[in-house]
Amino acid sequence: MNGGDGDVTAAPAGSLDWKFSQVFGERTAGEEVQEVDIISAIEFDKSGHHLATGDRGGSRVVLFERTDMKEHVGSRRDMERIDYSNSKHPEFRYKTEFQSHEPEFDYLKSLEIEEKINKIRWCQAANGSLFLLSTNDKTVKFWKVQEKKVKKLSEMNPDPAKSSENGSSTRSSVSSGHLSNGDEFSFPPGGIASLRFPVVVYSNESSIMARCRRVYAHAHDYHINSISNNSDGETFISADDLRINLWNMEISNQSFNIVDVKPTNMEDLTEVITSADFHPTHCNTLAYSSSKGSIRLIDLRQSALCDNHSKLFEEPVAPGSRSFFTEIIASISDIKFGKEGRYILSRDYMTLKLWDINMDSGPVSTFQVHEYLRPKLCDLYENDSIFDKFECCLSGNGQRVATGSYSNLFRVFGTAEDSTEATTLEASKNPMRRQVQTPSRPARSLGSSISRVVRRGGESPGLDANGNSFDFTTKLLHLAWHPSENSIACAAANSLYMYYA
């Protein structure tokens, strides 16, 4: 692990000044990255004190904990409060890791189930223990992580003068020729040496243990693309291409199908579910996105099976602008509710869109991420890059949004109406490699995985919006924003980079 401050070039007025903080697992020059080590999921917990990552190998969920806190001396309650006021910059350290999933084989369908971790979601901590959900393509698991004191055996034959009270009482009863059940026995003349027993004691050492509490399996015919916790702390959803299931966290052998978009005839299938997210405060509300670029808001109070949505958010395609790639690039790869639940952020291949759930006529703002790639859509289709699924995230205060791009770049945009903030950074240990993009203000607008065709072609480099060369082999798909600070964790291949502002 490497960490530290780094000065960077000045940011445009009104923009945050981003600085490099830490990197975990960075490659050395010429080192080949194994496919199983590539990070496939990142998630902060609600407090921001812990961070979890999952990899494509599925064998590791790695947990990190915050270390730059001010220590309180006083009551137990004081010790539970964490203060970052004296922190120079956010700093995390490795906490533990555990094996989450293993490769499986579905013999009925002759299908190999990858162990790749698709999503991680933190649950509410309790009694000093951490809880989280992790999922691969088919199975969700519920984990408990806690710190336990290590037990050790004392010496087998301690000095009688220093022996424990339990040991002394045992020896005295044996030496007197009496057993605890009242039976009497006698020793040879002169007696025998006192019997001594090993005593289990707690050492000053502790170990962190992860235990799988429940396994939620056999509920999805297609690959799980999303899991999301409910604000009630008791339920969560898992979504695949055609269905969304509701689970009670205490019941692993039964789930309720709340959304089903599977047509009677699969030839009539026109769109699939791509992402789903629970409202952060309303336990009856959730949203899911589709491969046609629409977002549906549903209310669980309306019916057990949510065939109808309460609101539909989509942006109509301008007449005459349709092409072969229109539906492919319109597919939404990720949606996130803002912290307060009023806004939904969505990411499609070309743009980020911010939606107000009270206004379904069109997005509040549209942020151009890959507009410069529009002339290259044919190449992107040939090398399969057009199907890359980029994630998105919002800051805790909702004033900024972020998403990833190629060449391990990520972009941060300001959401205020008069903001021109649009910053591009490269996930790199060297902060001087930062680039600043200064486009015009993002336009204000008011207005599938099952049948995917896989075609392979050469990986061709190109130019980004700044005229700098880039290639499609390096991409930053996964990132997360700290819930209360301007700090971003992002994954580039097997490396986890931390930036702060």
Side-chain angles (χ1 to χ4, degrees):
M1 185 275 291
N2 297 310
D5 267 330
D7 294 329
V8 293
T9 55
S15 300
L16 292 178
D17 185 17
W18 290 95
K19 298 179 181 179
F20 166 79
S21 176
Q22 287 177 286
V23 58
F24 296 89
E26 189 179 44
R27 291 172 290 171
T28 57
E31 179 185 355
E32 185 178 350
V33 176
Q34 300 296 320
E35 181 80 8
V36 295
D37 294 329
I38 295 178
I39 296 174
S40 57
I42 302 178
E43 185 79 4
F44 281 102
D45 70 350
K46 286 188 176 181
S47 68
H49 306 330
H50 294 92
L51 175 69
T53 65
D55 60 29
R56 289 190 181 180
S59 59
R60 288 193 305 272
V61 168
V62 183
L63 305 186
F64 301 89
E65 64 180 353
R66 191 79 177 260
T67 60
D68 57 309
M69 70 283 287
K70 178 181 178 182
E71 294 184 2
H72 289 272
V73 179
S75 66
R76 183 184 183 92
R77 180 174 296 180
D78 286 336
M79 294 298 291
E80 291 174 352
R81 293 204 308 265
I82 299 178
D83 180 13
Y84 298 117
S85 58
N86 292 343
S87 174
K88 191 176 182 181
H89 63 81
E91 191 171 308
F92 286 80
R93 69 181 175 193
Y94 169 88
K95 183 178 180 72
T96 189
E97 65 182 63
F98 57 89
Q99 181 168 336
S100 177
H101 289 75
E102 296 179 353
E104 303 174 46
F105 190 82
D106 188 334
Y107 291 96
L108 294 177
K109 297 182 179 179
S110 297
L111 180 68
E112 185 178 356
I113 301 172
E114 289 185 317
E115 65 272 35
K116 171 194 169 187
I117 298 171
N118 292 335
K119 296 290 181 181
I120 295 174
R121 290 292 180 264
W122 288 91
C123 304
Q124 188 171 358
N127 299 324
S129 298
L130 304 174
F131 297 89
L132 53 103
L133 294 166
S134 64
T135 184
N136 66 351
D137 286 340
K138 296 291 184 181
T139 305
V140 184
K141 293 186 178 182
F142 181 49
W143 294 92
K144 178 181 181 180
V145 181
Q146 63 183 149
E147 190 170 331
K148 287 190 172 183
K149 289 284 188 180
V150 176
K151 293 180 180 179
K152 289 187 176 181
L153 294 178
S154 65
E155 297 181 36
M156 292 295 294
N157 291 296
D159 182 353
K162 299 179 181 179
S163 60
S164 67
E165 188 177 39
N166 289 339
S168 300
S169 61
T170 303
R171 287 194 298 274
S172 61
S173 62
V174 172
S175 300
S176 63
H178 294 277
L179 293 179
S180 59
N181 60 6
D183 294 333
E184 296 189 2
F185 62 92
S186 60
F187 290 123
I192 61 173
S194 299
L195 296 178
R196 302 186 183 96
F197 299 94
V199 179
V200 177
V201 297
Y202 286 99
S203 69
N204 293 327
E205 301 175 11
S206 61
S207 64
I208 300 173
M209 308 198 46
R211 184 164 64 93
C212 183
R213 296 284 301 274
R214 288 176 188 83
V215 177
Y216 311 92
H218 312 300
H220 289 276
D221 292 329
Y222 302 97
H223 292 174
I224 298 173
N225 55 49
S226 304
I227 53 176
S228 180
N229 308 71
N230 198 344
S231 58
D232 63 10
E234 298 178 357
T235 57
F236 71 93
I237 56 171
S238 58
D240 65 19
D241 294 327
L242 298 179
R243 292 187 174 96
I244 300 177
N245 293 330
L246 178 68
W247 301 83
N248 187 302
M249 302 194 75
E250 300 296 325
I251 303 172
S252 60
N253 61 356
Q254 181 180 351
S255 65
F256 299 94
N257 178 225
I258 57 175
V259 175
D260 188 349
V261 300
K262 184 178 181 180
T264 305
N265 184 352
M266 284 294 284
E267 292 183 358
D268 297 330
L269 181 68
T270 59
E271 63 181 332
V272 296
I273 299 169
T274 57
S275 183
D277 196 29
F278 255 122
H279 191 282
T281 57
H282 298 166
C283 62
N284 57 282
T285 304
L286 63 92
Y288 69 91
S289 59
S290 81
S291 56
K292 277 194 167 181
S294 62
I295 301 173
R296 290 173 172 84
L297 199 69
I298 62 176
D299 190 337
L300 298 177
R301 297 171 298 184
Q302 291 182 345
S303 64
L305 182 61
C306 301
D307 294 320
N308 299 314
H309 50 267
S310 57
K311 285 189 178 180
L312 175 66
F313 305 94
E314 61 181 355
E315 192 171 28
V317 179
S321 63
R322 282 192 171 273
S323 70
F324 173 79
F325 304 107
T326 299
E327 285 197 7
I328 298 177
I329 62 175
S331 177
I332 296 175
S333 57
D334 189 28
I335 60 171
K336 293 282 196 324
F337 271 102
K339 187 175 182 180
E340 304 300 327
R342 178 175 175 179
Y343 295 97
I344 299 176
L345 180 68
S346 68
R347 170 69 203 266
D348 56 46
Y349 190 73
M350 304 297 285
T351 65
L352 272 174
K353 291 185 174 74
L354 190 66
W355 307 80
D356 187 333
I357 65 172
N358 298 320
M359 186 182 76
D360 53 8
S361 58
V364 175
S365 294
T366 299
F367 308 96
Q368 301 296 340
V369 180
H370 281 164
E371 186 60 30
Y372 58 90
L373 292 179
R374 196 172 292 277
K376 300 178 179 295
L377 292 179
C378 287
D379 294 336
L380 294 163
Y381 182 78
E382 288 294 333
N383 63 30
D384 216 24
S385 295
I386 201 170
F387 299 105
D388 288 334
K389 299 183 183 304
F390 292 93
E391 293 181 359
C392 58
C393 58
L394 301 90
S395 62
N397 57 17
Q399 295 180 3
R400 291 172 179 84
V401 295
T403 190
S405 182
Y406 295 104
S407 297
N408 292 340
L409 299 177
F410 67 95
R411 296 191 163 95
V412 180
F413 299 95
T415 60
E417 189 169 353
D418 57 347
S419 173
T420 59
E421 180 175 3
T423 306
T424 301
L425 301 99
E426 179 180 2
S428 165
K429 188 177 72 170
N430 183 355
M432 293 304 293
R433 291 166 68 182
R434 163 188 159 150
Q435 305 165 45
V436 177
Q437 182 182 352
T438 55
S440 59
R441 166 67 186 163
R444 181 180 179 88
S445 57
L446 295 174
S448 121
S449 56
I450 292 180
S451 57
R452 166 181 165 180
V453 179
V454 178
R455 300 177 60 186
R456 299 291 177 182
E459 304 286 358
S460 58
L463 299 177
D464 65 12
N466 297 316
N468 300 307
S469 62
F470 73 96
D471 67 277
F472 305 128
T473 60
T474 56
K475 59 195 74 173
L476 197 151
L477 301 176
H478 311 286
L479 75 170
W481 201 301
H482 189 281
S484 58
E485 299 179 352
N486 286 322
S487 175
I488 293 178
C490 51
N494 67 322
S495 302
L496 176 66
Y497 291 94
M498 311 288 290
Y499 278 79
Y500 74 101

